[in-house]
Amino acid sequence: MLFQIISYLKFLWNSKNEHAVHSPFVFSLLTKCFYDKKAKPEYTVLKNYRKSLLENKSFIEVTDFGAGSKVFKSNRRQISKIAQTAGISVKRAELLFRVTSYFQPQTILEIGTSLGLATSALALGNPKAKVKTIEGCPNTTAIAESQLNQFDYKNVENIISEFESFLISENLNSKIYDLIYFDGNHSKKATLAYFELLLSTTNNDSVWIFDDIHWSKEMEETWEIIKNHPKVKVTIDTFQWGFVFFRREQEKEHFIIRA
């Protein structure tokens, strides 16, 4: 916890808003998407999806393949508590919806479904997109799939698999993902493995979003390695998330933005 507090104070010291951004691409993203305060009817759908989970007092046995939880001490977890403490926040779900709506990706990959709170935002952002979401825990996937069906999401494919096993088994050289949301194993080794495996799926307009880039010292080191990769051209650090863009026409530039 102390590490994250210190990290957040550093972030606040270095972060800027749109007035300090000279990149037209990033300026447009901030003003038209990140800082868009207009109410959206889709926000009600996202809130009702969350409300349904918060009212679910059932317990499930969670199989955790990642770096573990800083909240839960046991793998027997109440669904409402998972949604409350481990799921994406209301503010982040709305931002993820706006980002998906702004870029209109046709193919979306999510690494780490959990209860589908982020999945619902991704799928709602572009209902015509094909959303593929991977989760290692069968019990968690069952809840997410039930929720997504209940709210009539037709464009989501749920896959039960360990993340790296799935990525290795897929013929990624023949795949293109316009948007990838990484919210799985928050360890340096695993995150960098996913990064390298998925590089072949990018196009010039691909958007990658890494969750919890300041979760630990190891994740901050991972973020620095990703930023310095030669294929990465633009990054945006919003503290919770790290956005990565591969736009060949851009000069390499890194932004720390309050969002």
Side-chain angles (χ1 to χ4, degrees):
M1 181 62 74
L2 179 61
F3 170 81
Q4 288 186 317
I5 292 170
I6 294 169
S7 185
Y8 186 62
L9 291 173
K10 288 179 183 175
F11 168 81
L12 289 177
W13 179 259
N14 292 305
S15 63
K16 312 290 183 188
N17 58 25
E18 76 273 25
H19 301 299
V21 171
H22 302 294
S23 162
F25 169 74
V26 176
F27 181 82
S28 177
L29 175 60
L30 296 184
T31 55
K32 296 178 181 178
C33 175
F34 279 30
Y35 299 151
D36 178 5
K37 302 300 182 187
K38 296 189 292 291
K40 319 279 184 195
E42 291 87 354
Y43 292 171
T44 301
V45 179
L46 297 177
K47 284 172 183 170
N48 287 339
Y49 188 104
R50 175 184 301 277
K51 183 172 180 284
S52 174
L53 288 168
L54 292 174
E55 291 172 350
N56 190 334
K57 304 304 178 184
S58 303
F59 284 83
I60 58 171
E61 193 72 24
V62 173
T63 307
D64 196 339
F65 296 100
S69 171
K70 291 184 177 181
V71 177
F72 295 102
K73 304 303 180 189
S74 164
N75 284 342
R76 186 173 183 269
R77 301 172 189 176
Q78 193 172 37
I79 291 166
S80 60
K81 294 295 183 185
I82 299 172
Q84 184 180 356
T85 59
I88 190 173
S89 69
V90 173
K91 180 182 175 184
R92 291 286 154 186
E94 291 176 355
L95 176 55
L96 191 57
F97 162 78
R98 292 198 304 274
V99 168
T100 311
S101 181
Y102 180 82
F103 286 109
Q104 286 293 290
Q106 297 302 304
T107 51
I108 299 172
L109 176 66
E110 179 185 31
I111 297 179
T113 315
S114 188
L115 299 176
L117 286 161
T119 320
S120 62
L122 292 165
L124 201 58
N126 182 10
K128 294 181 179 179
K130 291 182 179 178
V131 182
K132 189 175 288 187
T133 182
I134 312 166
E135 174 59 51
C137 174
N139 294 334
T140 310
T141 300
I143 300 299
E145 196 163 13
S146 173
Q147 282 287 120
L148 291 162
N149 287 333
Q150 180 185 331
F151 283 84
D152 205 28
Y153 284 93
K154 305 288 191 187
N155 59 333
V156 178
E157 178 186 358
N158 292 87
I159 296 166
I160 302 171
S161 174
E162 289 186 59
F163 307 139
E164 195 165 351
S165 298
F166 169 80
L167 296 177
I168 290 171
S169 66
E170 283 280 279
N171 182 13
L172 294 176
N173 289 325
S174 65
K175 297 282 193 304
I176 292 292
Y177 291 114
D178 300 319
L179 189 152
I180 303 180
Y181 180 59
F182 297 82
D183 185 19
N185 188 332
H186 296 339
S187 72
K188 182 177 183 178
K189 181 181 178 182
T191 304
L192 290 177
Y194 309 154
F195 176 82
E196 293 290 345
L197 284 167
L198 285 161
L199 272 176
S200 64
T201 70
T202 60
N203 59 36
N204 198 54
D205 298 318
S206 290
V207 182
W208 286 12
I209 307 169
F210 290 87
D211 187 52
D212 282 338
I213 56 172
H214 296 282
W215 193 74
S216 63
K217 186 174 185 294
E218 192 179 66
M219 282 301 290
E220 286 194 342
E221 291 169 356
T222 305
W223 178 239
E224 288 303 313
I225 292 169
I226 290 169
K227 282 166 59 179
N228 290 315
H229 192 279
K231 284 193 175 180
V232 171
K233 287 301 186 75
V234 176
T235 68
I236 302 174
D237 175 351
T238 68
F239 190 74
Q240 178 76 32
W241 287 342
F243 288 80
V244 172
F245 303 94
F246 302 89
R247 296 161 56 84
R248 290 183 293 274
E249 66 273 22
Q250 300 261 163
E251 291 294 322
K252 197 171 183 77
E253 200 166 4
H254 307 297
F255 298 88
I256 301 175
I257 299 292
R258 295 188 292 275

